[in-house]
Amino acid sequence: MSQRKIRRTCVALLAITGLLVLSVASALAQGPPVVNQTDHVVNETSIAIDVHPCTGQPAELTVTESGVIHFVGFADGTVHFTGTLHGTFSADALPTDGIPDATGTTVVWFGGNGKLLEDGSAFGKAQSAFTLNGKGTNADGTRFGFHQNGNVVFDPDGNPKLEFFKTRTRCV
């Protein structure tokens, strides 16, 4: 290995080490976690009114999900959370007749850091994000897919500074 490569490798390692030390110091400044909890979700079912992603028709969605959610809360009020859930869904167009008009699968990831409240708002500097992917089959055999993602960055006063939400749907 040449001297130049060795020097670049050492500089890179020092930079990475410095960043790690700063990250650890920042985490220690918050103190130890007050809450450190991991929940394993198994076959949790929820029902909501939403719309079919291709037709826009209102439908009753029944979703059953399993996965893991991790939450850490610190004494200064800051939090860190992340979760991944996979599930199945059925959609029954309104007015419902008890026969699914579509069925499918989903995977959702979500997470956040900072001074966040349970309702998704913030009382200080924070960030939260999610990604949802799904695919389904209509009762007539046609298929569809969807992808949603969003991210919000809050300023030190808890006001949204940057936010985006994107939806992409593939209907056959």
Side-chain angles (χ1 to χ4, degrees), residues 85-138:
L85 302 172
H86 57 89
T88 60
F89 71 88
S90 65
D92 191 356
L94 297 180
T96 60
D97 60 6
I99 300 169
D101 296 293
T103 58
T105 60
T106 61
V107 175
V108 62
W109 172 89
F110 53 90
N113 294 289
K115 296 185 175 184
L116 291 164
L117 300 171
E118 284 185 46
D119 67 0
S121 63
F123 64 95
K125 190 173 179 181
Q127 177 272 334
S128 65
F130 81 96
T131 300
L132 169 68
N133 290 295
K135 59 184 176 178
T137 304
N138 293 310

Side-chain angles (χ1 to χ4, degrees), residues 14-27:
L14 284 173
I16 290 169
T17 303
L19 288 173
L20 288 173
V21 168
L22 287 174
S23 297
V24 169
S26 174

